[in-house]
Amino acid sequence: MRAAIYTGDPTLLLEERDPVPPGPGEVRIEVAYAGICGTDLHIRHGAMDDRVPARAVLGHESSGRIAEVGEGVTPWRVGDPVTVMPLRWCGTCAACRAGHTHVCQTLKVIGVDIAGAMQGSWTVPAEVVLGLPSDLPLDQAALVEPTAVAVHDVRRSDLRAGEQAVVVGGGPIGLLVARVAQAQGAEVVVLELDPHRRGIAEQLGLTVIDPAETDVAAYVQDWTSGAGAPVAFEVSGAAAGVRTATEVLGVRGRMVVVAIHSEPRLVDLNRLFLRELTILGTRVYTREDFETAVKLVAGGEVPAKELISRVVPLSGATEAFEALESGGGVMKVLIDCQATS
């Protein structure tokens, strides 16, 4: 089988490898599709070399079928469609003991710290595998993992049906957050500068505005009858996004920090004080979030098909990364791990 290998150089190498037989408690997956996300882009440019092993296989968004089952593994059978919740926790730290294994103090992410999905055959612990409906196309199933991120974000916000939510940033995760919030009965507006992303948001039935052309604070005041939004999701990763997410909130509003901010940001603490705002961090997901994500993608509440811009073979992995970084009309790119060319 073949694997796309990161070696510290932005050009990913295509390497022939032998499949790894599953040991006790493991399964081998024939990977159908692996998605590329922002974390993968950071890795490719060396931003996470302190975590990523040498000659690493990237990819933590995946779908495939069970190809082989190790000793003692039940109930998986060869041919079962599956995805992977790519987290490994210690089980003994304070966070794990408190039941928060997804924020384990020594958390390992499969596809970052451990070999990931951008390979034809992938051997993983059976406990991280989740089943998929037999009628869910495997390309769409590769979006279960980012959908689980969105589910966790919305769950952390304590968003209620009928509340208004502002999503700052209309990239893949931002649009997934918006659709998950809609599925919970919330009213949602997305703020996005890029015209292509705004177009995709509109195709998904979302209200989207250009913050460069619209007075966002005035818009939200009018939309909420002067109250301000109960919830804002900061998904842009920009300093301006943090300011906007804080400004649109009403009394006791909740700002959910979804994006990864690589440097400290200024926050208006006076507004935080005056309105008794809450700032919530979010990181990855729980198994419950993952199971909910499977249902949302399978049920069409999350339109995974519409978010997939391009599918490329493993041999085109480098070009796929470059297409995402160029921002030229690309939303979500998948790697077909079984394609021969």
Side-chain angles (χ1 to χ4, degrees):
M1 62 94 180
R2 297 187 299 173
I5 309 298
Y6 167 72
T7 63
D9 186 302
T11 299
L12 300 178
L13 299 179
L14 197 63
E15 184 173 280
E16 293 289 339
R17 292 187 170 187
D18 292 328
V20 178
E26 294 182 330
V27 298
R28 184 171 65 83
I29 298 171
E30 182 180 85
V31 182
Y33 298 95
I36 304 172
C37 87
T39 300
D40 299 315
L41 300 181
H42 286 302
I43 291 172
R44 179 173 174 255
H45 288 286
M48 300 175 71
D49 281 356
D50 58 328
R51 289 178 56 185
V52 178
R55 304 190 66 77
V57 180
L58 306 184
H60 54 273
E61 303 176 0
S62 68
S63 64
R65 294 186 181 276
I66 298 291
E68 193 175 353
V69 175
E71 180 184 345
V73 171
T74 58
W76 301 116
R77 297 179 297 178
V78 173
D80 286 345
V82 295
T83 187
V84 168
M85 187 178 83
L87 304 181
R88 300 290 288 157
W89 50 83
C90 72
T92 60
C93 71
C96 288
R97 293 198 307 273
H100 309 309
T101 54
H102 68 293
V103 283
C104 167
Q105 290 167 237
T106 57
L107 185 71
K108 302 295 183 185
V109 178
I110 304 174
V112 178
D113 307 285
I114 304 167
M118 292 183 189
Q119 53 185 318
S121 175
W122 189 25
T123 299
V124 298
E127 64 186 22
V128 303
V129 176
L130 286 87
L132 299 169
S134 59
D135 59 348
L136 176 61
L138 290 179
D139 57 346
Q140 297 178 38
L143 271 72
V144 164
E145 192 274 348
T147 301
V149 171
V151 170
H152 187 68
D153 299 336
V154 173
R155 194 187 303 276
R156 283 283 286 156
S157 76
D158 196 28
L159 185 66
R160 304 174 186 92
E163 286 189 320
Q164 294 108 333
V166 178
V167 178
V168 184
I173 294 295
L175 296 188
L176 288 170
V177 166
R179 284 304 299 256
V180 171
Q182 274 191 335
Q184 257 184 232
E187 299 177 43
V188 181
V189 63
V190 178
L191 311 182
E192 176 53 50
L193 292 166
D194 182 78
H196 174 74
R197 288 181 168 184
R198 290 200 304 272
I200 297 294
E202 289 170 351
Q203 291 174 28
L204 299 183
L206 295 165
T207 299
V208 57
I209 62 175
D210 181 355
E213 299 293 334
T214 302
D215 184 331
V216 173
Y219 177 96
V220 173
Q221 284 292 299
D222 181 64
W223 178 43
T224 62
S225 301
V231 176
F233 297 93
E234 202 308 285
V235 203
S236 72
V242 175
R243 290 194 298 271
T244 299
T246 310
E247 289 168 358
V248 299
L249 289 173
V251 170
R252 291 208 165 181
R254 291 96 71 192
M255 181 173 79
V256 183
V257 182
V258 179
I260 297 173
H261 289 263
S262 57
E263 57 187 72
R265 303 298 190 193
L266 292 174
V267 177
D268 185 349
L269 293 181
N270 194 48
R271 189 174 185 86
L272 194 78
F273 161 74
L274 290 171
R275 297 206 168 193
E276 288 198 346
L277 304 181
T278 300
I279 299 177
L280 295 160
T282 58
R283 187 182 180 192
V284 292
Y285 29 65
T286 66
R287 192 173 185 93
E288 181 183 2
D289 298 325
F290 233 89
E291 291 167 348
T292 299
V294 171
K295 293 176 183 176
L296 289 173
V297 174
E301 287 91 346
V302 168
K305 182 178 180 180
E306 287 76 6
L307 288 173
I308 300 170
S309 304
R310 192 177 302 176
V311 180
V312 302
L314 270 172
S315 59
T318 296
E319 291 74 15
F321 275 71
E322 290 172 349
L324 273 176
E325 291 180 331
S326 71
V330 177
M331 183 64 73
K332 198 69 184 174
V333 177
L334 303 183
I335 293 178
D336 184 337
C337 295
Q338 299 301 319
T340 56
S341 62

